[in-house]
């Protein structure tokens, strides 16, 4: 991977040298979108695309600076993401919304930095992304480290004298959460009774659950996504272990809801819906583009609001900095000034993390109509 990364950096520097963004004189500012429009995370990617298209269209109707969206499919794959970064740099894009997945972000972020491109990701909660203090990286969501701290603190306080098991899906996302929860427990004088991992998509967890049973765990923290959490919960129940489960916002998915009752998770407030599209002519039923559509799937809805907000962050920072130079825009954001967005006022610290993300514990509970939902069930510490 190191050779690929240095090749990417060299390419990016060569591509961008001499660019200096004659952007100050440009009438149109290009904003790139790096999203998984194909692959296993395509439902999220389509939500990102629709939201970014609508945000650009809405901003352009307000007058002032004109924006154009340049879309690149990264497939949720690091090498494809690097190819997407090269295309965006070649298209003289100075600002990028995305990517969604931590594996892509880990490879492409240094290339974007070397190219002078400002990156605002709506979905990467991977803590190391901002830990090294790159000047150009920002988020519109929180970090795994924050989720892990909240969950670990809750487990230490609520299950102080009981045996805590930690399970992860071996991904950067899941392992990062598990490691942070374990770190918080140790800092509070506790140790986990079991620390286990399994591959995403694995269906037979009987051996893992048997190890948890031997460790006599009384609660399980899971770092991973909804589909695998559902498999884990069923395996625990089949083995007669009715222990509670605690997880992250990776559990927000229809695949998990039927098995979710009683589960706690860290999550941001309910995802904000996109604003009603401002159609130029309401009679144009066949109007093409995001302004005539809205995300439909739960995955698309979950990411759409933060993607729309990412475009707003860039556009409003340019306006406030009175510049389309990436360094000046990033410096303005790092100063901690509030930016009004669809998801509320946001501001950034020196690393590019939100000064207040809004993460809190939520409980999945059965509703009056028989569904299991977490909305409105925030847990007060």
């Amino acid at each position: 991977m190191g050779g690929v990364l240095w090749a990417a950096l060299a390419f990016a520097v060569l591509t961008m040298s001499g660019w200096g963004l004659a952007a100050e004189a440009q009438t149109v500012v290009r904003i790139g979108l790096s999203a998984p429009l194909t692959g296993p995370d395509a439902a999220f990617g389509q939500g990102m695309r629709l939201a970014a298209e609508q945000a650009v269209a809405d901003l352009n109707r307000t007058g002032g600076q004109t924006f154009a969206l340049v879309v690149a499919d990264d497939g949720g794959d690091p090498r494809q993401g690097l190819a997407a970064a090269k295309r965006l740099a070649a298209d003289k894009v100075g600002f990028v919304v995305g990517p969604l997945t931590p594996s892509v972000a880990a490879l492409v972020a240094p290339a974007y930095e070397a190219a002078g491109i400002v990156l605002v990701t709506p979905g990467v909660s991977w803590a190391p992304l901002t830990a090294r203090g790159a000047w150009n990286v920002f988020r519109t969501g929180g970090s795994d480290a924050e989720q892990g701290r909240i969950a670990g603190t809750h487990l230490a306080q609520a299950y102080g004298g009981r045996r805590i098991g930690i399970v992860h899906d071996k991904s950067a996302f899941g392992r990062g959460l598990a490691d942070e929860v374990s770190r918080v427990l140790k800092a509070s004088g506790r140790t986990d009774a079991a620390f286990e991992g399994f591959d995403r998509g694995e269906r037979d967890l009987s051996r893992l659950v048997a190890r948890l049973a031997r460790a006599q765990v009384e609660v399980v923290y899971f770092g991973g996504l909804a589909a695998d959490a559902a498999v884990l919960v069923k395996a625990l129940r089949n083995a007669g272990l009715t222990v509670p489960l605690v997880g992250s916002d990776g559990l927000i998915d229809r695949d998990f809801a039927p098995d979710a009752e009683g589960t706690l998770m860290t999550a941001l407030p309910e995802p904000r819906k996109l604003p009603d599209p401002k159609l130029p002519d309401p009679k144009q039923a066949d109007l093409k583009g995001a302004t005539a559509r809205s995300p439909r799937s739960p995955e698309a809805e979950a990411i759409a609001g933060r993607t729309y907000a990412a475009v707003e962050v860039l556009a409003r920072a340019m306006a406030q900095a009175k510049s389309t130079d990436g360094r000046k825009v990033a410096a303005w954001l790092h100063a901690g000034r509030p930016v009004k967005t669809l998801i509320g006022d946001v501001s950034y610290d020196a690393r590019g993390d939100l000064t207040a993300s809004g993460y809190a514990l939520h409980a999945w509970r059965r509703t009056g109509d028989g569904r299991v939902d977490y909305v409105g069930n925030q847990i007060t510490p």
Side-chain angles (χ1 to χ4, degrees):
M1 180 176 290
V4 174
L5 179 55
W6 282 109
L9 291 172
F11 170 87
V13 172
L14 287 172
T15 301
M16 300 302 294
S17 61
W19 180 29
L21 198 55
E24 300 290 355
Q26 280 186 322
T27 57
V28 177
V29 173
R30 291 169 174 260
I31 294 179
L33 176 72
S34 175
L37 304 178
T38 56
D41 295 315
F44 290 100
Q46 293 299 332
M48 292 173 68
R49 178 171 190 163
L50 292 173
E53 287 176 345
Q54 183 169 331
V56 166
D58 289 347
L59 286 165
N60 285 342
R61 290 192 192 95
T62 65
Q65 180 66 62
T66 301
F67 300 96
L69 188 69
V70 182
V71 179
D73 178 15
D74 62 40
D77 175 77
R79 291 182 180 274
Q80 190 171 333
L82 188 57
K86 292 178 180 180
R87 289 196 300 274
L88 291 172
D91 282 337
K92 298 186 178 178
V93 168
F95 305 89
V96 170
V97 171
L100 173 72
T101 57
S103 60
V104 175
L107 183 58
V108 304
Y112 282 123
E113 181 182 7
I117 296 175
V118 178
L119 197 67
V120 182
T121 172
V124 178
S125 54
W126 183 55
L129 181 64
T130 53
R132 64 190 186 87
W135 67 269
N136 66 317
V137 178
F138 302 87
R139 317 177 197 259
T140 53
S143 75
D144 297 340
E146 184 180 5
Q147 292 199 76
R149 284 195 298 273
I150 293 171
T153 300
H154 170 77
L155 288 166
Q157 294 175 348
Y159 297 89
R162 301 164 74 178
R163 298 177 68 80
I164 301 169
I166 299 177
V167 179
H168 61 86
D169 65 359
K170 297 185 180 179
S171 68
F173 171 69
R175 180 61 189 259
L177 287 165
D179 285 342
E180 183 63 20
V181 169
S182 180
R183 188 196 66 77
V184 171
L185 288 176
K186 289 175 182 175
S188 67
R190 300 293 317 284
T191 57
D192 42 81
F195 192 97
E196 300 284 348
F198 65 91
D199 295 317
R200 287 184 64 179
E202 190 173 338
R203 308 303 296 178
D204 183 3
L205 301 183
S206 56
R207 291 182 181 178
L208 181 147
V209 169
R211 292 194 294 272
L212 294 176
R214 287 195 295 272
Q216 300 179 327
V217 301
E218 297 171 85
V219 60
V220 172
Y221 179 84
F222 177 61
L225 300 178
D228 294 312
V231 174
L232 176 60
V233 169
K234 289 174 183 175
L236 289 168
R237 303 297 177 261
N238 290 340
L241 294 177
T242 57
V243 298
L245 189 76
V246 180
S248 73
D249 57 0
L251 305 187
I252 302 176
D253 193 285
R254 58 189 172 190
D255 289 337
F256 183 60
D259 304 290
E261 187 172 10
T263 295
L264 297 182
M265 69 177 184
T266 48
L268 295 169
E270 183 182 5
R272 294 293 301 273
K273 304 293 185 184
L274 294 185
D276 291 333
K278 302 176 179 67
L279 304 181
D281 183 353
K283 296 179 181 179
Q284 288 183 273
D286 61 346
L287 182 68
K288 296 180 180 179
T291 52
R293 300 169 291 170
S294 62
R296 290 287 183 264
S297 70
E299 296 91 342
E301 293 283 5
I303 198 65
R306 281 183 280 157
T307 303
Y308 190 102
V311 177
E312 290 181 301
V313 164
L314 289 169
R316 290 182 175 142
M318 289 179 219
Q320 292 299 318
K322 296 180 173 58
S323 177
T324 54
D325 176 83
R327 287 275 182 179
K328 293 178 182 178
V329 171
W332 188 90
L333 287 170
H334 279 303
R337 300 181 180 94
V339 183
K340 184 177 180 60
T341 75
L342 174 68
I343 61 175
D345 286 356
V346 302
S347 58
Y348 292 96
D349 62 19
R351 297 195 307 182
D353 286 324
L354 293 173
T355 55
S357 71
Y359 271 122
L361 276 170
H362 300 258
W364 288 81
R365 293 173 179 155
R366 192 165 298 279
T367 62
D369 59 4
R371 296 179 300 105
V372 178
D373 204 343
Y374 71 94
V375 176
N377 297 327
Q378 183 170 324
I379 303 299
T380 302

